[in-house]
Amino acid sequence: MRAPHEQGRLARRRERAGWVFVAPNLAAVLVFLLFPLGVSLYLSLHSWDLFSAPRFVGVSNYRRLFVSDPLFLIALRNTAVFTVLTLVPTVVIGLAVAAVLNRKLAGIGIFRTIAFLPLVASTVAMAVVWRFIFTTDDGLLNIMLGWVGIDPMPWLTDPDWALVSLSIVTVWKSVPFATVILLAAMQGVPETLYEAARIDGAGALRRFWSVTLPLIRGPLSFVFVITIINSVQAFDQAYALTGGNGGPETGTYLLGIMLFQNAFGFYEVGYAAALAWVIFAILLVLTLLQLWFARRSEVES
């Protein structure tokens, strides 16, 4: 049996070894997360155009954002509509595809691979491809609609339809991720529960509603949160599909486009930093609300 002083020395050695192992991760968090956050908060209280020295303006950037910039309300409204148009189809389609892929059928691995392909595709590349598909005159989608007697749709030239088109592209990109998470959760549901439900006479829909959904509530909430975060932060697909101005008119003028324009188009870095913190606050509130609703539903059940 070791003496107390030897045990204490061994404990200190283990503690130092632990700090050595976690030091690189802590340094990465400090350099790539905490430091940029601190700089962006500092810049949000200043006026800076990348060339002259930052000038302290206090909360003027935030006051301008909420009081005197009508484009912020437009971007906020478009982002809210876009989030709803993306969230609901992503969750519904993701659940349906995961339920289908969860079956034990011959060749199901091939269909799983096909379903997951959009997950590894470049967002910008697939947005460019969809841009050709949505072309009004000779786009593939309007050609197919013409086969059934439907007139060409202004997918990217009408402000309302442009936002719908952007939502379609985002759903196409988001569904595979949701499917991966939900399929993994479904495969963790014990088969004995389904057998018991079958014995009780429950059909496929009843088993899905009463057995599957309650047991995948946690992963489903995770999909909700991640989809909302990705929708509010959407930029690259909007930029590639409709350009960096949020057109046509302001149809796809999202918060991400507004942030990009002010930072790299107008060189108002302080104002863009303030907008970034507002986006962060919106995401934080939405995430906390979703977690609260999820925890409340678990308690009630």
Side-chain angles (χ1 to χ4, degrees):
M1 186 174 181
R2 289 189 176 91
H5 70 278
E6 292 182 0
Q7 293 180 353
R9 185 172 58 184
L10 181 60
R12 288 192 295 272
R13 186 182 302 171
R14 289 176 176 174
E15 182 180 358
R16 286 195 298 269
W19 279 109
V20 170
F21 277 112
V22 302
N25 289 332
L26 292 177
V29 170
L30 178 63
V31 174
F32 298 108
L33 181 62
L34 297 182
F35 177 72
L37 283 175
V39 171
S40 66
L41 181 60
Y42 170 82
L43 290 176
S44 70
L45 302 176
H46 292 72
S47 175
W48 187 41
D49 59 2
L50 291 177
F51 303 104
S52 59
R55 179 172 56 86
F56 181 76
V57 295
V59 296
S60 296
N61 287 327
Y62 295 94
R63 186 183 302 113
R64 172 188 168 190
L65 195 64
F66 288 104
V67 176
S68 60
D69 192 346
L71 289 177
F72 173 68
L73 295 179
I74 294 174
L76 192 62
R77 181 200 64 195
N78 288 343
T79 303
V81 174
F82 170 72
T83 300
V84 174
L85 292 176
T86 302
L87 176 64
V88 176
T90 297
V91 173
V92 173
I93 299 175
L95 277 172
V97 175
V100 172
L101 297 180
N102 194 34
R103 296 177 176 269
K104 295 181 175 64
L105 299 175
I108 194 66
I110 298 175
F111 292 101
R112 289 177 180 173
T113 303
I114 296 174
F116 299 153
L117 282 179
L119 189 61
V120 298
S122 168
T123 302
V124 175
M126 64 89 181
V128 172
V129 173
W130 276 98
R131 186 170 186 173
F132 287 106
I133 295 175
F134 284 133
T135 302
T136 302
D137 297 328
D138 54 357
L140 178 61
L141 189 54
N142 278 335
I143 291 176
M144 296 175 64
L145 291 176
W147 293 345
V148 294
I150 300 178
D151 295 333
M153 305 294 294
W155 295 107
L156 298 179
T157 56
D158 181 85
D160 295 330
W161 280 108
L163 191 60
V164 172
S165 303
L166 180 60
S167 301
I168 293 173
V169 175
T170 306
V171 169
W172 182 83
K173 179 68 175 177
S174 303
V175 163
F177 174 79
T179 302
V180 169
I181 301 299
L182 297 176
L183 178 59
M186 290 179 184
Q187 291 180 340
V189 177
E191 188 65 28
T192 54
L193 297 179
Y194 292 119
E195 293 294 338
R198 290 191 189 96
I199 294 174
D200 291 338
L205 290 178
R206 182 65 178 177
R207 292 195 303 269
F208 180 78
W209 185 264
S210 301
V211 178
T212 305
L213 280 183
L215 294 178
I216 65 169
R217 187 174 296 156
L220 190 59
S221 298
F222 175 76
V223 170
F224 264 92
V225 171
I226 295 300
T227 305
I228 290 174
I229 291 175
N230 290 337
S231 300
V232 174
Q233 292 181 332
F235 164 74
D236 45 0
Q237 63 266 43
Y239 185 90
L241 192 66
T242 60
N245 295 321
E249 299 178 9
T250 56
T252 59
Y253 192 76
L254 305 178
L255 290 174
I257 294 293
M258 183 179 181
L259 178 62
F260 171 80
Q261 273 193 344
N262 282 281
F264 303 105
F266 307 143
Y267 298 110
E268 297 187 15
V269 180
Y271 189 59
L275 177 58
W277 275 94
V278 171
I279 295 175
F280 170 77
I282 292 173
L283 289 175
L284 178 62
V285 170
L286 292 177
T287 302
L288 292 177
L289 284 175
Q290 172 59 30
L291 294 177
W292 180 78
F293 281 121
R295 194 175 295 112
R296 181 180 178 183
S297 62
E298 290 179 359
V299 172
E300 290 178 351
S301 60

